[in-house]
Amino acid sequence: MSLNSSTALALRACIAIGLSAMIVGLALSLLGMGTDVLYAGTLVLIASPFIGVVVTFLSLAKSKDWFWAAIAAILIVITAVGACIAMM
Amino acid sequence: MKNLSFAINDLTAAPIRSPMEALILAGLLFTGSAAGVLGALFGLGGGFIFVPVLMLVFGLAPTEAVAVSLIGIIAGSVGASTVFVDRGLSNIRLGLLLELTTAAGAIMGAIVAGYLEEWVLMCIFSAIVLYSALRMIMNPEKVIPPSEGSDGRFAFEYRDEAGNENVKYQVENVKGGMALCTVAGMISSMTGVGGGAVKVPLMNIYMHVPIKAASPTSSYMIGITAFSGAITYFLSGQVLLEYAAGIAIGAFAGSLLGTVLASRLHTRHLRKYFSVLLVVVAILVLLQAGGVL
């Protein structure tokens, strides 16, 4: 599977799961329930871009495209560090 | 609806029962859709729409509006990217490279934000965006095809459906572009605006990336940029989940519509409309800087 196809597939899977949970959670909120479902859906949606970069890195590493795989790896580290700093 | 909504640590779920609350939900879906269309068409996050609308129309506090806005930005970005990345319009490699310095700039911006006046940064941002709009209006797009001797790592290609042709392009001024993305990341994190409005003109004017590739690449990058902020707001319990769901569902639907429109628009029109939108963004940011919005 190509770099673009694998990344697009990962993004598609994440947003399908995340948004489905959000829709179900929103519908359940009509009945006074659904907070945990909304919570899970939102978390999956937020994580989607990051998961996309991880899949991109794996795809680049698999095809031994080391220059761009290194760029993706550094970005993963910077993004994770940025998130940690923001949470402090 | 706001007082019935809940943060993640408030486990007493809040029902949407009254007609007024259904109307609010419809408004959130519409707002998300509008921003999603513009985001996918022009590579903008939509924060310049989300934040003022959520504050002025829906009555959210600034922090709540920014938190919900980030969720909407991610939904729009990922929605558009599922199509753009698959078609090869989003340049993943270039996006990763520029995101490196954008993310680093955002971290630096967060550290020094307390030492600088926000309105000054917003004015600087508006000046940059207005300058970019003028450059895009006055100068035609300059695409440099790859040639022998040029760096093969930065030679790319995409399929232009509207023009019915394959377009090959060489990315120029890579180091300068990365440096400017650091500044863009800094300003963006300090003011909460600006990702796509700076990156698309930067790629198009300075790095000679065709706008049909620059906008989808920016769409792809914006979600990654928004991730750090969004996860922080989420884990600290500041995301109003119902609002976020309404905005995200709308943004996703709008972004899919935007990808259809983007494939039908010709480059000349896309640049023209983008320039007009940049002027609107600059004015909105100036109004925010002046405390009007």
Side-chain angles (χ1 to χ4, degrees):
Chain A
M1 194 180 281
S2 73
L3 170 67
N4 284 56
S5 302
S6 55
T7 305
L9 184 64
L11 293 175
R12 211 169 280 149
C14 286
I15 201 157
I17 295 167
L19 279 187
S20 299
M22 287 173 121
I23 291 167
V24 170
L26 211 47
L28 286 174
S29 73
L30 291 167
L31 307 169
M33 302 182 291
T35 309
D36 47 353
V37 182
L38 268 176
Y39 181 88
T42 308
L43 182 59
V44 173
L45 179 73
I46 290 172
S48 302
F50 188 72
I51 292 170
V53 178
V54 173
V55 170
T56 299
F57 164 73
L58 294 174
S59 181
L60 287 164
K62 191 180 171 190
S63 59
K64 296 181 180 173
D65 192 346
W66 299 120
F67 175 77
W68 293 107
I71 300 288
I74 296 168
L75 180 58
I76 290 169
V77 172
I78 289 179
T79 308
V81 169
C84 290
I85 288 175
M87 280 185 264
M88 282 164 59
Chain B
M1 181 168 152
K2 187 183 168 191
N3 55 357
L4 291 176
S5 294
F6 40 86
I8 54 172
N9 50 2
D10 178 6
L11 294 177
T12 49
I16 302 174
R17 292 195 182 108
S18 72
M20 178 58 82
E21 285 164 2
L23 192 65
I24 290 173
L25 184 59
L28 291 169
L29 290 169
F30 177 77
T31 305
S33 303
V37 169
L38 290 177
L41 260 178
F42 301 112
L44 304 176
F48 71 99
I49 294 176
F50 286 134
V51 176
V53 170
L54 286 169
M55 286 171 62
L56 297 175
V57 180
F58 296 97
L60 266 60
T63 309
E64 294 170 338
V66 171
V68 171
S69 167
L70 286 169
I71 308 292
I73 288 169
I74 290 178
S77 162
V78 175
S81 296
T82 58
V83 176
F84 286 146
V85 168
D86 203 28
R87 289 184 189 164
L89 289 164
S90 292
N91 189 329
I92 295 180
R93 289 177 172 86
L94 180 62
L96 292 176
L97 188 68
L98 295 181
E99 194 58 37
L100 274 185
T101 49
T102 305
I107 294 173
M108 285 187 249
I111 293 168
V112 300
Y115 303 100
L116 293 166
E117 291 285 342
E118 192 172 323
W119 69 269
V120 175
L121 291 162
M122 286 182 157
C123 289
I124 294 170
F125 169 85
S126 296
I128 294 169
V129 169
L130 278 175
Y131 170 75
S132 303
L134 286 175
R135 282 286 303 269
M136 291 184 82
I137 290 168
M138 294 169 72
N139 301 329
E141 183 168 275
K142 185 182 175 188
V143 177
I144 300 171
S147 59
E148 280 187 33
S150 56
D151 190 346
R153 287 179 301 187
F154 298 106
F156 301 103
E157 181 180 4
Y158 72 94
R159 174 78 185 159
D160 183 357
E161 296 293 341
N164 196 27
E165 60 178 342
N166 289 334
V167 179
K168 293 182 179 178
Y169 62 97
Q170 180 75 32
V171 179
E172 299 283 311
N173 306 318
V174 174
K175 288 177 184 169
M178 289 178 72
L180 289 171
C181 270
T182 312
V183 179
M186 280 184 78
I187 292 178
S188 190
S189 77
M190 284 188 276
T191 61
V193 292
V198 175
K199 278 182 263 185
V200 175
L202 172 68
M203 280 189 266
N204 187 238
I205 298 168
Y206 185 65
M207 303 178 79
H208 302 295
V209 178
I211 194 156
K212 287 236 162 175
S215 296
T217 303
S218 173
S219 279
Y220 168 71
M221 293 169 67
I222 279 166
I224 304 169
T225 311
F227 165 77
S228 299
I231 195 76
T232 306
Y233 282 114
F234 181 75
L235 293 177
S236 60
Q238 296 181 75
V239 176
L240 300 173
L241 295 176
E242 286 180 328
Y243 281 82
I247 285 287
I249 293 164
F252 174 71
S255 70
L256 294 184
L257 177 61
T259 61
V260 175
L261 295 174
S263 66
R264 294 180 183 175
L265 270 178
H266 284 277
T267 297
R268 190 164 42 87
H269 296 133
L270 195 59
R271 285 185 105 232
K272 189 169 69 180
Y273 299 145
F274 184 77
S275 306
V276 172
L277 192 62
L278 282 184
V279 174
V280 173
V281 171
I283 291 169
L284 284 174
V285 173
L286 276 178
L287 290 174
Q288 279 182 317
V292 180
L293 283 181

